[in-house]
Amino acid sequence: MEIIHVAAECYPMAKAGGLGDVVGALPKYQNQLGHVAKVVMPMYRTKFLYDNQWELVHEGNQHLGQHFFRYSVIKEKTNKLGFDLYLVDINGLLDRENIYGYDDDTERFLSFQIAVCDWLNKWEHTPDVIHCHDHHTGLIPFMIKNCFEFREKLAGIPTVFTVHNAQYQGWIGWDKYYYLPAFDSWKWGLLDWDKAINPMASAVKCAWKVTTVSNSYLTELKGAANGLENLFNYEQGKSYGILNGIDSQVWDPLTDSMIAKNYDKELVEKGKRKNKKELAGQFGLDPDKPLISFVGRLVGEKAADLLPEAISQSIYQHHGNANFLVLGSGDPELEERLNQMKKQFGGFFNSYIGYSESLSHQIYAGSDFLLMPSRVEPCGLNQMYALRYGTVPMVRNIGGLKDTVTDMGDPQGFGIRFDKASVWDITYSVGRAIDLYTNKPDLYSWMRKYMMTIDHSWDSSAQQYIDLYKSLK
Ligand code: ADP
Ligand code: GLC
């Protein structure tokens, strides 16, 4: 089958979070299964763009309302990622350093989607499936079915839409509806949700199939979907939960070139001790104490706002018997607070405010526990990386965390789970972590070895997507 993935992120070209990891790995595994999966994304000005060789494959003209634009599509020459990567360049709109966060993001991603439809419309053949990811690509299922200039050739191509995160929906005011290529105006309801053009809602309505990145999240969306609950209930017949995998070539402690010492499950104790020593040295922490880390976006969804209080309470209540490390960026006030706490709790807590791919690998390798108190977690990849690196996940009982981590109190359990995103639940769990680390060495050692044998690679999920595509033919 020929599959075109359309997304705003794809690692290593551009990544802001798990979406980039997924789009950078799933197509590779689909190709390994004998299919032809490709990715098309915007051309941002990233290091990967400058470090690689590109060939021009298409040039075209389109317009966003009355604004005319030219676009070009370039392809990475060597297939080095294990799939063909296409970038859409629109001068002045997409060629920026960051992925998101500009005032004209609506115009940027809408132009990108129009250019993708236009390019596919001009291809000499059609792909078997168009697979769109999250709201930045959510208007494509509507446009290819309903816009006059695309529908003749493209309307029959099956579309799959994956909801990675329904908190962000890409809302566009109706005053901008003229941006869209012409369509029968009576079809406006396919774009609308609560008096705005809602790309996430439109995709859920128009895509042939909808998937979410874990089963539990699919169930949760029917009760909590940032306003789209009724829609997810209504469309449940065409919706499926397919758990994300991890790229086990990129995330392998035995070959990872970003960490101080490579190890596998036989060498886990020694390997982690060495990585922890390096990490603790770098951040002024005590390598003999359990190290509990957090990696992620500093936003409410991840319950990052609880970290300052939960960490200080834990340090006081557990008499400084654990160390904490935070890597993240996001809410400026929270960033500031975490920076200030470094002085107050020096030797017990440290943070790196910013984005660092290599430090994230070092933290998964060098920490004893990884804390994820998320309020919403559609899948979560960090806990799967932690498992692969022999780091005990401490997670809230929600979404993909619930589907991938069991509690050490249950038979064969290998993690620490808690129910609420609250300071109390976190400090209590920190107590359990310290007890495990200090008083239960046999259980701790068994857990680490066991979790490293769990296979979360993409093999099975990549096949589930293929089966879903086949059901659409
Ligand atoms: P989300 O996509 O909601 O942010 P995921 O758990 O799916 O959450 O994926 C987060 C990804 O982003 C992981 O690969 C994680 O290591 C990475 N990440 C998040 N914040 C940072 C950061 N500050 N520096 C480096 N990597 C980060
Ligand atoms: C989203 C979710 C995260 C998920 C990722 C990849 O960003 O917040 O839980 O793992 O997408 O699907």
Side-chain angles (χ1 to χ4, degrees):
M1 297 190 89
E2 183 174 10
I3 307 124
I4 304 286
H5 291 274
V6 195
E9 298 178 31
C10 175
Y11 179 81
M13 168 63 197
K15 163 177 166 183
L19 172 64
D21 285 345
V22 170
V23 180
L26 171 61
K28 179 165 80 179
Y29 283 79
Q30 290 180 329
N31 284 348
Q32 285 167 11
L33 291 170
H35 302 276
V36 180
K38 304 172 171 182
V39 173
V40 53
M41 68 182 299
M43 193 205 81
Y44 314 108
R45 296 207 171 281
T46 63
K47 186 169 179 310
F48 188 86
L49 174 71
Y50 296 111
D51 287 353
N52 289 282
Q53 300 281 316
W54 304 87
E55 64 186 287
L56 181 68
V57 293
H58 180 75
E59 279 183 303
N61 302 315
Q62 258 296 344
H63 51 93
L64 183 74
Q66 291 137 359
H67 310 286
F68 170 87
F69 65 84
R70 283 185 67 69
Y71 70 91
S72 47
V73 183
I74 56 175
K75 183 179 134 194
E76 192 275 313
K77 272 186 174 169
T78 61
N79 194 278
K80 75 188 291 187
L81 302 179
F83 54 84
D84 282 340
L85 176 66
Y86 296 87
L87 307 181
V88 175
D89 181 24
I90 305 176
N91 267 339
L93 269 185
L94 298 179
D95 52 343
R96 312 249 177 102
E97 276 176 22
N98 295 325
I99 307 173
Y100 316 113
Y102 299 99
D103 288 345
D104 58 353
D105 277 356
T106 296
E107 285 75 10
R108 298 173 70 229
F109 288 108
L110 202 43
S111 308
F112 166 66
Q113 294 176 82
I114 293 169
V116 170
C117 292
D118 192 63
W119 171 48
L120 294 177
N121 202 25
K122 299 204 166 114
W123 263 25
E124 58 291 349
H125 71 293
T126 51
D128 296 305
V129 182
I130 301 176
H131 188 155
C132 300
H133 297 264
D134 266 357
H135 74 83
H136 327 91
T137 60
L139 293 172
I140 290 177
F142 172 85
M143 289 200 284
I144 65 171
K145 251 193 213 166
N146 299 296
C147 292
F148 303 138
E149 58 184 304
F150 306 136
R151 69 181 182 188
E152 194 180 328
K153 176 162 177 222
L154 304 179
I157 306 176
T159 48
V160 171
F161 180 70
T162 296
V163 180
H164 292 264
N165 197 329
Q167 294 300 108
Y168 308 97
Q169 300 171 7
W171 305 268
I172 303 172
W174 270 107
D175 55 324
K176 293 188 173 167
Y177 90 93
Y178 67 94
Y179 278 172
L180 285 157
F183 59 93
D184 289 316
S185 54
W186 53 270
K187 290 186 177 154
W188 66 274
L190 292 171
L191 295 167
D192 183 76
W193 195 262
D194 206 12
K195 302 191 189 71
I197 297 175
N198 185 315
M200 169 74 57
S202 174
V204 174
K205 292 179 197 183
C206 299
W208 294 28
K209 296 283 180 197
V210 172
T211 68
T212 65
V213 289
S214 71
N215 264 315
S216 290
Y217 186 53
L218 180 60
T219 309
E220 287 162 13
L221 283 174
K222 293 178 204 157
N226 205 7
L228 301 185
E229 300 76 14
N230 288 344
L231 181 62
F232 281 107
N233 276 291
Y234 186 76
E235 297 290 8
Q236 60 183 320
K238 67 171 187 189
S239 307
Y240 304 82
I242 300 180
L243 189 69
N244 284 335
I246 60 172
D247 190 331
S248 45
Q249 287 148 3
V250 174
W251 297 94
D252 182 356
L254 193 56
T255 54
D256 192 330
S257 59
M258 300 186 211
I259 63 177
K261 170 112 187 115
N262 291 117
Y263 59 96
D264 60 7
K265 74 174 185 348
E266 307 310 331
L267 297 172
V268 55
E269 256 148 60
K270 224 170 143 194
K272 284 191 75 71
R273 202 178 314 126
K274 173 88 177 103
N275 283 295
K276 183 176 174 186
K277 206 169 162 221
E278 288 285 321
L279 192 63
Q282 192 182 338
F283 287 96
L285 301 170
D286 180 351
D288 292 330
K289 289 183 179 163
L291 176 58
I292 304 177
S293 300
F294 173 96
V295 175
R297 295 178 292 121
L298 300 175
V299 296
E301 241 178 87
K302 303 282 179 197
D305 50 299
L306 299 179
L307 291 175
E309 188 64 20
I311 291 172
S312 16
Q313 287 289 335
S314 295
I315 293 173
Y316 290 128
Q317 284 181 25
H318 302 295
H319 313 291
N321 281 329
N323 280 183
F324 295 86
L325 181 59
V326 171
L327 163 64
S329 61
D331 175 16
E333 266 179 45
L334 191 54
E335 289 184 349
E336 178 57 29
R337 207 155 156 218
L338 290 165
N339 259 331
Q340 281 171 359
M341 278 174 61
K342 289 192 212 179
K343 286 182 219 118
Q344 194 183 351
F345 294 104
F348 296 96
F349 164 81
N350 210 333
S351 63
Y352 179 100
I353 302 301
Y355 190 93
S356 168
E357 196 67 32
S358 54
L359 181 57
S360 75
H361 284 243
Q362 287 148 20
I363 291 181
Y364 297 122
S367 304
D368 300 300
F369 299 89
L370 186 84
L371 175 63
M372 296 180 75
S374 311
R375 295 197 174 87
V376 182
E377 198 60 83
C379 176
L381 299 174
N382 302 10
Q383 80 281 10
M384 295 199 256
Y385 300 145
L387 292 172
R388 184 124 168 91
Y389 283 70
T391 302
V392 179
M394 297 171 63
V395 304
R396 185 170 168 230
N397 230 339
I398 193 164
L401 300 175
K402 189 162 141 186
D403 294 358
T404 51
V405 178
T406 54
D407 188 81
M408 63 182 186
D410 295 331
Q412 304 283 302
F414 50 82
I416 295 179
R417 297 208 328 193
F418 50 93
D419 287 331
K420 294 201 192 81
S422 71
V423 169
W424 196 88
D425 277 44
I426 298 173
T427 47
Y428 181 74
S429 301
V430 169
R432 292 184 72 200
I434 295 172
D435 181 47
L436 174 71
Y437 183 93
T438 321
N439 304 323
K440 298 179 175 139
D442 292 346
L443 176 61
Y444 184 43
S445 155
W446 174 85
M447 280 167 63
R448 294 218 278 210
K449 286 207 165 78
Y450 178 77
M451 66 177 79
M452 287 185 76
T453 63
I454 300 172
D455 182 7
H456 276 301
S457 73
W458 268 106
D459 296 313
S460 106
S461 302
Q463 184 60 47
Q464 287 180 53
Y465 279 111
I466 299 290
D467 295 342
L468 184 71
Y469 306 150
K470 285 190 176 154
S471 74
L472 300 173
K473 290 197 88 179

